Amino acid sequence: MRIRKIILAAVLCITLLSTACGSSYEPGNGDPYVYCLNESGTGLVKVACDIPDDDTQKAAETVLEKLSAPADDIEYMSPIPEDVNVNSCELFGGIMEVDFSGEYLNMKSIQEKLMRAAVVQSLVRIDGVNAVSFTVDGEQLLDGEGNAVGLMNEDDFVETASSSPSAYQTDTLTLYFANKSGDRLVAETREVRYSSNVSKDKLIVEKLMQGPDSEDAYPTINPSANLLSVTTKDKICYVNFDSTFLTGAYDILPELTVYSIVNSLVEGTEATQVQITINGETNAEYMDAVDLSQPLEENMDFVAADDESE
């Protein structure tokens, strides 16, 4: 009798092992999934996950629960450590803000970057989520140099063969700056050579912040402002500044600052609209004159005609 029990137990173990090996954690073609860590914790793998498709908030909560729960398979690991809690997740416009407990800051650099990549890339797959912002106990997540990490989407974690520091490309940009009178925008064409590591949308905003090359044009963006992030999804470019951006530094129409950014990005990238955010939030107004709560389209009414550029 004892021998029979041993045999039955052995058969049961073999059956369970066979079932586990035969049930893949990988999603089928077209099935919903999230990103988890591979078994060695050195990269990401796709893991099947049943995600609601009729409620963006519920879908985000489901994803974060999956990323926090113990792994169902030994071939992958959950990216959010056991001691790190998700305090909240809330959707603002197209931006999903996720707040973590203070233990987040105890993670090692490599672990944190992989966890961030897994969470962001999992969340932006949800319809209605265009970018993700991380906070820790209500405070913005900072990088190793003390700068706000800002908005993130899948483009921030894509590594390609052309991403080596020695890979460069050239392009022609049309940038809009203020005229001498400060009441119209003027276009400046500029040839640029830049690293393939830098996205074109971010390059354009950085060049605007550096100011014009021409003596007949004037800068539009407060030089003290910090650019936190630039991401594009679904043809909307999200430009995230710190609050200093809202303080104008030049004697120009407030609309010129905003539409120098919008027009330059729409003309230079695939974006058709631009959403300017302040510390990841959309509830802002520039100089009490321009509502930033919604994405903005190109507006050429502020651009000077050729005979009135000065």
Side-chain angles (χ1 to χ4, degrees):
M1 189 66 173
R2 185 169 181 272
I3 295 176
R4 186 181 177 187
K5 288 183 178 179
I6 294 174
I7 293 174
L8 286 174
V11 170
L12 180 60
C13 288
I14 293 172
T15 302
L16 290 173
L17 287 171
S18 299
T19 303
C21 293
S23 60
S24 174
Y25 63 86
E26 296 179 354
N29 187 27
D31 290 340
Y33 62 86
V34 296
Y35 285 94
C36 291
L37 305 184
N38 59 21
E39 58 183 327
S40 60
T42 58
L44 303 184
V45 292
K46 296 177 181 178
V47 176
C49 180
D50 187 13
I51 304 173
D53 58 5
D54 58 347
D55 187 322
T56 301
Q57 181 67 33
K58 183 62 178 177
E61 292 171 358
T62 300
V63 165
L64 291 169
E65 287 173 4
K66 177 68 173 179
L67 300 183
S68 301
D72 298 327
D73 194 298
I74 62 172
E75 295 185 32
Y76 73 88
M77 298 188 295
S78 301
I80 301 178
E82 185 178 356
D83 62 337
V84 176
N85 296 318
V86 177
N87 294 332
S88 64
C89 66
E90 192 169 356
L91 188 66
F92 297 94
I95 301 168
M96 181 62 69
E97 183 175 296
V98 185
D99 186 55
F100 294 95
S101 63
E103 289 78 9
Y104 182 106
L105 302 177
N106 297 331
M107 284 189 287
K108 294 181 180 179
S109 177
I110 294 178
Q111 181 189 19
E112 188 274 336
K113 289 178 180 177
L114 283 170
M115 177 257 199
R116 184 150 40 100
V119 173
V120 171
Q121 293 189 94
S122 297
L123 287 174
V124 296
R125 300 194 70 259
I126 301 171
D127 288 340
V129 178
N130 297 318
V132 180
S133 173
F134 279 15
T135 57
V136 179
D137 285 337
E139 300 293 331
Q140 280 228 337
L141 177 64
L142 305 179
D143 62 20
E145 298 178 355
N147 300 313
V149 172
L151 300 184
M152 300 167 283
N153 67 13
E154 66 268 30
D155 294 337
D156 294 294
F157 304 100
V158 174
E159 294 183 7
T160 63
S162 62
S163 63
S164 74
S166 60
Y168 286 87
Q169 55 193 31
T170 59
D171 208 336
T172 302
L173 304 179
T174 299
L175 305 175
Y176 287 93
F177 296 99
N179 63 2
K180 288 183 178 180
S181 302
D183 59 358
R184 286 288 186 272
L185 292 172
V186 291
E188 180 177 286
T189 302
R190 191 180 301 181
E191 300 292 330
V192 294
R193 181 174 182 267
Y194 62 101
S195 169
S196 299
N197 287 333
V198 179
S199 64
K200 191 176 179 181
D201 48 12
K202 184 178 180 182
L203 173 72
I204 288 173
V205 180
E206 289 178 341
K207 292 299 181 183
L208 288 173
M209 296 180 72
Q210 292 171 10
D213 288 341
S214 169
E215 295 181 356
D216 295 326
Y218 287 83
T220 58
I221 301 174
N222 188 335
S224 298
N226 292 309
L227 179 63
L228 304 181
S229 62
V230 183
T231 60
T232 298
K233 185 178 182 182
D234 296 334
K235 295 195 173 181
I236 300 178
C237 184
Y238 296 84
V239 184
N240 188 29
F241 291 101
D242 70 353
S243 58
T244 308
F245 171 81
L246 297 176
T247 305
Y250 304 104
D251 187 18
I252 63 175
L253 291 177
E255 291 83 356
L256 299 191
T257 296
V258 173
Y259 284 100
S260 68
I261 299 170
V262 174
N263 291 2
S264 298
L265 284 168
V266 171
E267 288 202 22
T269 70
E270 295 182 355
T272 58
Q273 294 179 304
V274 176
Q275 172 74 71
I276 297 175
T277 60
I278 305 301
N279 292 322
E281 299 183 358
T282 59
N283 57 340
E285 190 173 46
Y286 182 74
M287 299 288 290
D288 296 322
V290 186
D291 182 13
L292 302 179
S293 64
Q294 299 294 326
L296 299 171
E297 297 181 349
E298 183 180 39
N299 189 334
M300 301 305 289
D301 292 343
F302 292 103
V303 179
D306 292 339
D307 58 355
E308 58 170 354
S309 59
E310 295 188 2

